[in-house]
Amino acid sequence: MRAALKMFCLSVAVLAAAVVIAQLLVPDIVPIAFAEEPQPAWAVMTAFALRAIELIAAAVAVIALAMLAGMCAQRGLRRLSGGTASQAD
């Protein structure tokens, strides 16, 4: 359970850092090449890379959160059924 919690916290921290860096470095850049006005290539590539990091970190956070919810549900079902938890965290 601790490993899933660590993964969740780490991915949330990476997501927050990527969002803040994107707002500081490329605030008004669309991470695709098609925009109404010309955008510098470095800014588009930076925005694209930061968006990819954001999406990967968000996916890892969702998976870790689902694992945590599953573990909590499994513990709750064990308690309801009267069984004892033989495994340690």
Side-chain angles (χ1 to χ4, degrees), residues 26-69:
V26 285
D28 295 327
I29 301 296
V30 181
I32 56 174
F34 304 110
E36 293 176 2
E37 56 190 41
Q39 300 177 10
W42 69 269
V44 173
M45 289 186 283
T46 303
F48 182 79
L50 288 171
R51 181 65 56 95
I53 292 170
E54 290 172 13
L55 292 175
I56 291 170
V60 171
V62 168
I63 291 169
L65 191 62
M67 287 181 62
L68 282 170

Side-chain angles (χ1 to χ4, degrees), residues 1-5 63-79 85 87-89:
M1 181 137 169
R2 290 182 186 178
L5 187 59
I63 291 169
L65 191 62
M67 287 181 62
L68 282 170
M71 288 179 198
C72 289
Q74 185 179 16
R75 281 187 179 177
L77 289 174
R78 277 188 190 156
R79 287 183 185 157
Q87 295 179 342
D89 289 338

